[in-house]
């Protein structure tokens, strides 16, 4: 199945995906993740405290993970206003998505009484910023936990379920994988799929702008997303090879 796309990409092909680890000097985990022209810096930092609602649980080693998301002013064609006094509804929704996705994948009972914050800053936006942030967030989180283990702040690496995310949509009746901005803005149906490497769904966000869709069409999008997730997982595993299999 093919259709006309930028760079002669077929409808079931991903954009070029790159993950560069240790992108900044100071964060225990940091990556630059690129989905085509979408570029996001994702950092994982640690604070030796937990929020009040974790204290209430009275579990000594339980930690917390949260996320923040922002688009830099020059990330798109029109200058994006900085979120200063109050974040936008879109920003709040995306950072909640990133946070709950990664919380679902890490055993918070074994990271100690500390908070890990995943910061996703979009430096260039061409569609799929949230899925790029989640994909890079998993890698940054793994590096952060490895850092805590190396510093002997953790006895063992907590269990982390590998996770990735991708966008899919229907344009002109054709299901497509990994939409760029021009495709996403013209999609009849668009979706963001978050899935573990072993093909368990964590989040499925799917909506129709102009026309309703059938169950069979949704299944086709989910199958397409599953194929994409497996390819993204290979990129993540390659980036994390030394962390997952230390020498």
């Amino acid at each position: 199945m093919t259709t006309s796309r930028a760079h002669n990409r077929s409808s079931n092909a991903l954009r070029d995906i790159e993950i560069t680890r240790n992108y900044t000097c100071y964060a225990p985990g940091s990556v630059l993740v690129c989905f085509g022209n979408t570029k996001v810096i994702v950092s994982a930092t640690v604070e030796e405290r937990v929020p009040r609602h974790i204290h209430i649980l009275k579990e000594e080693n339980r930690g917390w993970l949260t996320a923040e998301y922002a688009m830099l002013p020059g990330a798109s064609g029109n200058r994006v206003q900085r979120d200063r006094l109050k974040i936008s509804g879109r920003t709040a929704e995306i950072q909640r998505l990133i946070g709950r996705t990664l919380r679902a994948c890490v055993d918070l009972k074994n990271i100690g009484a500390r908070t890990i914050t995943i910061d996703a800053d979009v430096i260039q936006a061409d569609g799929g910023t949230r899925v790029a942030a989640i994909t890079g967030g998993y890698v940054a989180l793994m590096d952060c936990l490895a850092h805590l283990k190396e510093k002997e702040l953790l006895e063992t690496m907590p269990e982390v379920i590998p996770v990735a995310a991708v966008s899919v949509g229907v344009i002109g009746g054709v299901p497509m994988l990994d939409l760029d901005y021009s495709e996403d803005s013209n999609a009849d149906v668009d979706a963001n799929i978050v899935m573990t490497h072993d093909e368990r769904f964590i989040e499925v966000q799917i909506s129709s702008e102009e026309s309703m869709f059938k169950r069979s069409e949704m299944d086709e999008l989910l199958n397409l997303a599953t194929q994409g997730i497996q390819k993204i997982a290979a990129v993540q595993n390659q980036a994390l090879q030394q962390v997952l299999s230390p020498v």
Side-chain angles (χ1 to χ4, degrees):
M1 186 190 329
T2 60
T3 190
S4 177
R5 305 180 80 182
H7 309 293
N8 296 317
R9 189 160 56 109
S10 64
S11 59
N12 61 353
L14 295 166
R15 292 174 285 181
D16 290 337
I17 296 178
E18 298 177 5
I19 299 174
T20 305
R21 288 173 52 224
N22 304 316
Y23 193 71
T24 63
C25 294
Y26 303 114
S30 69
V31 304
L32 172 67
V33 55
C34 304
F35 276 46
N37 288 326
T38 288
K39 302 179 188 295
V40 186
I41 297 173
V42 189
S43 302
T45 54
V46 182
E47 295 176 277
E48 296 297 322
R49 62 181 182 84
V50 293
R52 184 174 178 274
H53 72 272
I54 299 298
H55 279 297
I56 293 172
L57 296 175
K58 296 182 179 179
E59 294 182 20
E60 201 171 295
N61 288 317
R62 177 181 282 273
W64 182 243
L65 185 149
T66 188
E68 294 191 13
Y69 167 97
M71 284 184 62
L72 299 190
S76 63
N78 297 318
R79 184 182 186 277
V80 179
Q81 292 292 326
R82 294 184 189 272
D83 292 323
R84 294 188 184 275
L85 299 178
K86 182 180 179 181
I87 64 173
S88 70
R90 177 181 180 274
T91 295
E93 187 265 325
I94 292 175
Q95 61 190 33
R96 284 197 296 265
L97 169 65
I98 298 167
R100 67 175 174 263
T101 291
L102 294 175
R103 281 196 299 273
C105 294
V106 62
D107 184 359
L108 295 174
K109 294 179 181 178
N110 290 310
I111 69 168
R114 53 179 57 95
T115 297
I116 297 175
T117 300
I118 306 296
D119 282 291
D121 290 290
V122 180
I123 60 174
Q124 187 167 286
D126 186 30
T129 61
R130 72 187 68 193
V131 299
I134 291 167
T135 297
Y138 162 68
V139 177
L141 173 61
M142 290 296 290
D143 272 333
C144 181
L145 293 171
H147 171 83
L148 292 173
K149 173 71 166 54
E150 182 182 346
K151 296 295 183 182
E152 298 184 348
L153 296 171
L154 291 175
E155 290 185 11
T156 59
M157 280 282 285
E159 181 183 358
V160 183
I161 300 169
V163 62
V166 74
S167 63
V168 287
V170 177
I171 302 171
V174 179
M176 293 188 184
L177 177 67
D178 189 20
L179 308 184
D180 64 23
Y181 177 75
S182 64
E183 293 167 339
D184 183 64
S185 59
N186 289 292
D188 301 315
V189 179
D190 67 275
N192 297 294
I193 311 299
V194 185
M195 185 185 291
T196 63
H197 288 194
D198 60 358
E199 299 184 8
R200 288 178 288 167
F201 293 104
I202 294 177
E203 186 110 9
V204 176
Q205 299 179 333
I206 183 167
S207 62
S208 172
E209 293 291 335
E210 308 235 346
S211 59
M212 295 175 281
F213 54 91
K214 298 178 181 178
R215 169 66 180 271
S216 59
E217 294 171 316
M218 183 174 74
D219 289 342
E220 190 171 2
L221 287 178
L222 294 178
N223 290 335
L224 192 58
T226 301
Q227 297 170 27
I229 292 289
Q230 290 304 311
K231 294 175 183 177
I232 295 169
V235 177
Q236 291 174 309
N237 289 340
Q238 179 63 33
L240 281 169
Q241 192 167 19
Q242 290 183 338
V243 175
L244 297 174
S245 302
V247 178

